[in-house]
Amino acid sequence: MNMLRQRLSRWIQARVLQGVVPGPHDIAIRKNLRVPMDDGAELLADLITPLGDTDPQLPTIVIRGPYGRSGPVANQARALAREGFPVLFQSCRGTWGSDGVFTPQIDEQRDGIATHRWVRKQPWCTGSVVTYGPSYMGFTQWAVAGKLQNEDPANAPDALCLLVTMPDFGAITWDNAAFSLRNALGWTQMMDRMIHRQLLALALGQLRPDGKLRKAFDALPLADGDRIANGRRVHWYQDWVAHERLTDQYWTQQSHTASVPDVTAPVFMITGWYDIFLPWQLRNYAQLVEAGRSPRLTLGPWGHISRGMGAPTINESVSFLREHFTGAPSTRVAPVRAYLTGAEHWHDLQSWPPPGTVTDVRYLQSEGGLATELPEGGTTRYIYDPADPTPALGGPSLQPNSGPVDNTAHERRDDVTVFRDEPLGAPVTVAGEPVARIRFRSSQPSADLFVRICDVHPDGRSMTVCDGIRRIGSIGSAATDPEPDADGFREVEVRLWPTFHRFGSGHRISVQISSGAHPRYARNPGSGEPAVSAVTLHRATQEISHDTPAPSRIDLPVWSS
């Protein structure tokens, strides 16, 4: 029977983690270990250990997350154990049998620290302890690593494997002051169903569009979204929509960005060009480099839950850990591996962005062009109506379909403006964070600027490359809003998602501007009222200036390989 279970487990792993060859070890699982916290709560964990002779130099791996101890991440934990690593997989406070109430992000530092101290005292601990995991399981790593390194280095992680993650979920919840509605409310519905064990509704929600969630996306005020999606209030969602300022203590208490440079342990990062956390993860990478660390980074053609990321995640994590703890030879020729979209091949780089990028300034022309020459002036106008909000088309999300989409039909909308250059005579490679600087005026007190770069193919397809948003005139943006000039125009800087993309010869670079991407971001009612309670929608006339001395433009980081 045990042999049959092992074979079945290996078969499931091979199916779920495509491209991962199960390691040589069979595994044993001790379920529901009770890990004591400092306040007396006990969190449940499963211990997955390899059977047979293993290398005693291999570290013990700790994974902490709220999504249960079965499913895709459990398969990753078992894959690591089959490679010889003992793995402790723990459910966060208030989830899957662990004591307490789940309040996202708030308790992870204290609970993580207590867990690390407990693990090192266990007889099965190999002596070294590392952390691993994607998304929220990455946040739980950042929550403890820097603080322990500063205050209790003997219990700090000896290495971190950080996968599609970041240390400050407030920054993505209110992305440049725009509320990330689709992710925030969709995740809230999913987690609330998990906590209340509504497993059938949870499963159906993964298989087909959820009518309640679609209705909730359109709800006003925003505070009603959780009630419509879930049939009840969810305390953390209410906190999220009520705290627009990232400087509020609610958000600062759960941000671990400042402690990133304190992490001295080896770090491996993996992410994708279409991941929801990409900009912040690359800024964390830059923090580590600036602090003199040597993080390893892989950037692939993936979204947040792309199946194609499974094999690189496991294989590269295992290689990274073996290299650092057993002296195995490195499998990398450079610290950074990055997939060049458009050309569809990998590059080995010494750093990110790659050395040698230069800023290529392209000006938005009043007649819809995009050129290196200064425009002759003029204004581009469009109407934004939050009662019929500009819809989101693709873009990074918690869904599997986050990759490039064709924007051709979308760009025909009256509330979307498009600026295109002439067909390129030679390829152009953009590597880094493009920055749009739009001289902008709205007839309403508050407005959003959503900017997207597209690759227009010779056959007419306008395919997404990257995008970004910025809100002005709101409670959350007040401290950073640019001042208007005498004509009421503000130079609004919009930083776009990082990209590594080659525009081929004959292709055209296109810049798309609108004032929303609903429901990816909650529509801006226009009034500047608190988002939690605003219900009245205000139609807005938006204007983009092409007049000197500061005409609207986009700065492209161009790389010559």
Side-chain angles (χ1 to χ4, degrees):
M1 182 62 71
N2 184 59
M3 183 178 296
L4 180 61
R5 280 199 299 266
Q6 295 287 350
R7 287 179 177 176
L8 179 60
S9 180
R10 287 173 176 273
W11 180 82
I12 292 173
Q13 176 188 312
R15 292 285 299 234
V16 174
L17 301 174
Q18 294 180 352
V20 177
V21 178
H25 295 277
D26 287 338
I27 57 174
I29 303 176
R30 292 173 55 192
K31 291 184 176 295
N32 298 327
L33 277 68
R34 307 190 73 85
V35 183
M37 299 294 104
D38 294 341
D39 65 349
E42 292 183 320
L43 307 190
L44 298 188
D46 292 349
L47 178 64
I48 310 166
T49 52
L51 300 176
D53 293 334
T54 60
D55 189 333
Q57 299 176 94
L58 290 177
T60 299
I61 297 175
V62 172
I63 304 173
R64 301 189 64 254
Y67 305 126
R69 301 184 301 283
S70 60
V73 179
N75 280 298
Q76 293 183 38
R78 293 173 186 182
L80 294 168
R82 287 195 175 90
E83 295 291 343
F85 300 89
V87 180
L88 184 84
F89 190 1
Q90 183 186 68
S91 290
C92 294
R93 180 180 292 257
T95 68
W96 302 99
S98 290
D99 291 344
V101 175
F102 179 60
T103 303
Q105 294 91 253
I106 298 297
D107 297 306
E108 305 311 344
Q109 187 169 83
R110 64 167 180 168
D111 289 349
I113 288 173
T115 299
H116 276 263
R117 289 171 175 164
W118 179 85
V119 166
R120 288 189 183 268
K121 296 176 182 177
Q122 304 311 303
W124 40 261
C125 180
T126 56
S128 298
V129 176
V130 305
T131 55
Y132 172 96
S135 195
Y136 197 99
M137 283 74 85
F139 177 88
T140 61
Q141 298 179 62
W142 280 128
V144 302
K147 187 173 181 65
L148 277 175
Q149 186 61 50
N150 279 330
E151 300 179 5
D152 186 8
N155 284 300
D158 297 301
L160 293 81
C161 296
L162 296 155
L163 323 172
V164 289
T165 193
M166 65 183 291
D168 180 359
F169 284 179
I172 186 177
T173 303
W174 288 97
D175 183 359
N176 291 312
F179 187 64
S180 298
L181 177 63
R182 184 172 62 192
N183 288 340
L185 189 53
W187 188 86
T188 291
Q189 184 194 63
M190 177 191 73
M191 281 304 308
D192 185 69
R193 285 175 172 174
M194 284 187 181
I195 289 168
H196 288 88
R197 300 300 176 97
Q198 295 176 310
L199 302 184
L200 178 59
L202 184 66
L204 291 175
Q206 304 297 315
L207 296 174
R208 64 187 185 191
D210 189 293
K212 290 183 179 180
L213 191 59
R214 286 203 305 268
K215 185 177 180 181
F217 286 151
D218 292 333
L220 288 175
L222 278 182
D224 283 348
D226 55 350
R227 178 182 56 79
I228 295 171
N230 292 63
R232 56 183 159 262
R233 297 293 188 192
V234 181
H235 66 97
W236 68 77
Y237 181 81
Q238 293 298 313
D239 286 338
W240 292 352
V241 296
H243 292 89
E244 291 188 55
R245 298 183 187 89
L246 293 180
T247 53
D248 287 353
Q249 193 265 344
Y250 173 78
W251 291 116
T252 58
Q253 69 178 321
Q254 54 183 281
S255 173
H256 306 290
T257 300
S259 67
V260 167
D262 298 330
V263 176
T264 59
V267 169
F268 167 59
M269 294 182 171
I270 189 167
T271 187
W273 296 122
Y274 316 115
D275 179 49
I276 60 172
F277 297 128
L278 175 66
W280 299 277
Q281 186 157 6
L282 291 185
R283 291 166 197 162
N284 299 148
Y285 163 84
Q287 284 180 281
L288 290 170
V289 171
E290 187 176 353
R293 320 293 182 235
S294 301
R296 184 171 298 180
L297 174 66
T298 296
L299 291 151
W302 310 305
H304 194 66
I305 57 172
S306 297
R307 294 191 70 184
M309 195 163 43
T313 294
I314 296 297
N315 295 338
E316 294 192 31
S317 295
V318 169
S319 295
F320 166 78
L321 294 175
R322 288 188 182 279
E323 177 184 338
H324 283 286
F325 291 95
T326 72
S330 176
T331 59
R332 300 285 284 259
V333 299
V336 178
R337 291 188 71 236
Y339 188 85
L340 178 61
T341 60
E344 318 308 333
H345 61 74
W346 290 90
H347 277 264
D348 294 303
L349 306 170
Q350 290 303 312
S351 62
W352 180 263
T357 58
V358 296
T359 300
D360 181 356
V361 179
R362 305 211 172 201
Y363 295 98
L364 281 56
Q365 311 288 324
S366 61
E367 71 280 5
L370 186 68
T372 57
E373 298 82 15
L374 285 169
E376 296 180 357
T379 303
T380 298
R381 293 179 177 85
Y382 63 95
I383 303 297
Y384 174 70
D385 185 358
D388 178 25
T390 313
L393 183 70
S397 75
L398 293 172
Q399 302 301 314
N401 55 342
S402 298
V405 294
D406 187 356
N407 288 252
T408 304
H410 181 75
E411 291 172 350
R412 298 192 188 106
R413 288 181 59 98
D414 291 339
D415 55 2
V416 176
T417 60
V418 180
F419 304 88
R420 290 180 175 173
D421 68 356
E422 295 299 317
L424 297 170
V428 171
T429 299
V430 178
E433 283 190 11
V435 180
R437 292 180 168 87
I438 309 301
R439 196 159 170 253
F440 179 78
R441 181 170 68 186
S442 176
S443 64
Q444 296 297 336
S446 182
D448 293 350
L449 265 176
F450 181 80
V451 182
R452 170 171 283 178
I453 294 175
C454 291
D455 182 341
V456 182
H457 292 232
D459 63 8
R461 288 175 297 142
S462 180
M463 303 301 293
T464 308
V465 174
C466 61
D467 55 41
I469 196 168
R470 181 169 176 182
R471 177 166 293 187
I472 59 172
S474 72
I475 291 173
S477 70
T480 57
D481 281 342
E483 292 295 324
D485 62 17
D487 296 320
F489 283 96
R490 307 170 190 258
E491 185 176 298
V492 182
E493 179 182 290
V494 184
R495 303 191 76 85
L496 277 61
W497 239 241
T499 188
F500 191 32
H501 182 80
R502 177 166 295 171
F503 294 85
S505 179
H507 290 225
R508 302 170 73 184
I509 300 172
S510 176
V511 174
Q512 175 192 123
I513 296 179
S514 62
S515 285
H518 183 77
R520 178 177 165 191
Y521 297 101
R523 56 190 158 175
N524 191 330
S527 63
E529 299 172 278
V532 65
S533 57
V535 294
T536 304
L537 301 176
H538 302 271
R539 184 181 168 101
T541 299
Q542 320 290 48
E543 296 177 280
I544 300 168
S545 173
H546 308 283
D547 291 336
T548 56
S552 299
R553 72 182 198 265
I554 190 159
D555 296 346
L556 301 175
V558 172
W559 181 60
S560 298
S561 57

